[in-house]
Amino acid sequence: MIQFLPRDYELMVITNSFSAITELAKIDGITVISTGGEFRKKSTSFLGKACTLSLDYYNVDQVFLSGKAVMPSKGLMDPMESEVEVKRKFISISRESFLLADSSKFNKLGPITDCPVETFKAVISDRALDDATAKELESKGVKVYRV
């Protein structure tokens, strides 16, 4: 998603992703705020209590999230409780939430539900997302964009 950000726009990004921090830091006009917290090497992200507490200071216009699995009937799912807590916190401080998920993530089951799909204003996926899944998401009031 970082490659799609405008280059002539002042923007503040709050993230728990170390990879995103390093990429965003290269772009003029973008202020990057890291949540801090316990660093998880496998996901190159910050998690835990310190991470979620740091988010109490901010009000966010839009949050863009991803996860390990998505089922329209169950919601967005992840394998680790600490990841779920951070995502729930981001959702709670944002005005609008968007889900970024390629078609391979859909109709898979994960161990912990982050939130129902109705939480998201829109789902942004690839063109391989099947019509039945897109229709099910839309029936729940979620816009679907296939890019």
Side-chain angles (χ1 to χ4, degrees):
M1 176 164 176
I2 293 171
Q3 69 268 23
F4 298 111
L5 291 174
R7 298 301 193 248
D8 58 346
Y9 190 76
E10 294 287 321
L11 184 67
M12 180 183 293
V13 176
I14 304 167
T15 183
N16 68 320
S17 167
F18 183 75
S19 301
I21 292 166
T22 57
E23 287 301 308
L24 290 164
K26 299 173 188 174
I27 303 171
D28 291 335
I30 294 183
T31 301
V32 183
I33 298 173
S34 170
T35 60
E38 181 181 341
F39 184 71
R40 182 169 184 248
K41 290 180 188 176
K42 186 174 181 181
S43 63
T44 67
S45 60
F46 296 100
L47 304 168
K49 188 90 169 161
C51 176
T52 56
L53 286 174
S54 73
L55 292 171
D56 285 334
Y57 294 104
Y58 302 103
N59 298 301
V60 176
D61 287 326
Q62 299 173 327
V63 64
F64 295 85
L65 299 173
S66 63
K68 300 294 183 224
V70 184
M71 289 185 75
S73 62
K74 297 269 186 198
L76 175 65
M77 293 165 276
D78 277 295
M80 291 185 55
E81 195 172 314
S82 56
E83 290 177 346
V84 171
E85 289 173 4
V86 171
K87 289 177 186 178
R88 287 179 180 168
K89 186 63 174 184
F90 266 113
I91 290 167
S92 76
I93 66 167
S94 71
R95 196 170 44 81
E96 297 177 319
S97 301
F98 297 86
L99 175 61
L100 305 172
D102 66 60
S103 57
S104 71
K105 306 281 177 141
F106 284 90
N107 300 311
K108 304 260 168 57
L109 192 60
I112 306 170
T113 299
D114 298 90
C115 61
V117 293
E118 296 89 343
T119 302
F120 299 103
K121 181 175 182 175
V123 169
I124 303 164
S125 189
D126 57 49
R127 293 174 196 230
L129 180 67
D130 65 273
D131 290 339
T133 300
K135 284 180 184 173
E136 190 173 357
L137 290 164
E138 289 169 342
S139 75
K140 294 178 177 290
V142 181
K143 291 182 183 178
V144 176
Y145 297 97
R146 296 183 227 188
V147 294

